[in-house]
Amino acid sequence: MRPNLTFLLLLSVALLLPPASVNAAQVCTIPRVGTDEFRGISGTSDADVIAVGKKGTIYRYDGTSWNSMPSATGEDLNDVSAVDSTAFAVGKDGVIVQLVSGSWSSYGEVVDEDLAGVWAASATEAWAAGKNGTITAFDGVSWTDQSAAAGTIPDDLTDIWGDADSVYVISEKGDLYRYDRTSSTWMPRDTSCTSGDKFEDLWGDGNGNIFLVGKKDVYLYDGSSCTVMATAD
């Protein structure tokens, strides 16, 4: 599940406000941003945050206010990844758009399936994943299907994340796929976390630990096993 934007907006504003005093409570109010549902958020700093959502909606936060950006698509956008001076957003029917020199441009419908997650390492390396085991990678020029190389099975992939060494992709059922960026090789599918239920998001700490969010639980994958860290009531 993508983060609740209202919560993230409140949190970002709260973090930017200096405390009035040690014991004083902070109360802040922000105006409603946009009219459509937001589904993804990413940023390079607390003064450069991008949020995307339904009907191609894109907003950018500059440290002071949120402003609508002209979009390169009318399709629903499910996720965005910002890095350096660029960003990639993905969505319905395989649409992918990129922020270039302050404006969004579209690659069109790169794949036939809805894309749920995107991760960018730079302007010349980005990865996206979605329904029916779809994975595609960008090399700065074109997008190439990676599904066969990764050995994905026809389950919906819900999120993707990477670090200096690897790119990780999670399926709804907990199948974990890893691309070794050093050797440019896909590792065998890992099923350590498939005892969980309806995975929706993942993130890593850069040290080989991957945190996975399921419908009821939060899991930690350490490279060889998967353990429950937290369980919803």
Side-chain angles (χ1 to χ4, degrees):
M1 178 179 294
R2 299 297 164 204
N4 181 284
L5 185 64
T6 301
F7 169 77
L8 289 172
L9 294 178
L10 290 170
L11 179 60
S12 65
V13 172
L15 291 173
L16 291 170
L17 291 173
S21 67
V22 173
N23 297 317
Q26 291 283 330
V27 178
C28 61
T29 302
I30 58 174
R32 182 183 180 88
V33 177
T35 59
D36 288 303
E37 175 185 314
F38 286 94
R39 295 181 173 178
I41 191 167
S42 180
T44 58
S45 72
D46 57 7
D48 186 14
V49 183
I50 296 172
V52 302
K54 295 191 71 174
K55 301 178 183 179
T57 296
I58 303 176
Y59 274 75
R60 193 172 196 173
Y61 181 68
D62 61 9
T64 302
S65 61
W66 287 89
N67 298 286
S68 176
M69 299 187 75
S71 181
T73 181
E75 297 285 5
D76 295 350
L77 295 173
N78 297 321
D79 196 20
V80 60
S81 179
V83 59
D84 300 326
S85 61
T86 191
F88 295 84
V90 301
K92 187 178 179 181
D93 293 332
V95 69
I96 300 178
V97 296
Q98 183 184 4
L99 180 65
V100 181
S101 300
S103 299
W104 290 91
S105 59
S106 177
Y107 291 98
E109 297 175 356
V110 174
V111 296
D112 295 330
E113 302 288 349
D114 292 353
L115 293 171
V118 60
W119 176 77
S122 67
T124 58
E125 183 186 358
W127 300 76
K131 285 190 173 182
N132 290 322
T134 299
I135 301 176
T136 185
F138 182 64
D139 62 5
V141 177
S142 60
W143 292 85
T144 303
D145 187 273
Q146 294 284 318
S147 309
T152 59
I153 57 178
D155 286 329
D156 291 348
L157 303 177
T158 53
D159 202 18
I160 186 168
W161 179 86
D163 57 23
D165 301 317
S166 304
V167 176
Y168 297 88
V169 187
I170 189 70
S171 80
E172 185 178 53
K173 295 181 179 179
D175 294 294
L176 193 63
Y177 301 89
R178 183 175 75 86
Y179 178 79
D180 189 315
R181 296 179 67 201
T182 302
S183 63
S184 300
T185 304
W186 282 97
M187 300 294 104
R189 175 169 59 101
D190 193 301
T191 60
S192 301
C193 298
T194 53
S195 60
D197 182 37
K198 200 172 182 180
F199 288 90
E200 298 176 333
D201 211 346
L202 82 162
W203 175 82
D205 62 5
N207 294 314
N209 297 309
I210 304 299
F211 300 87
L212 313 169
V213 176
K215 184 177 181 180
K216 297 181 179 179
D217 305 303
V218 177
Y219 290 80
L220 169 62
Y221 175 76
D222 63 5
S224 60
S225 61
C226 205
T227 56
V228 177
M229 295 189 68
T231 301
D233 293 333

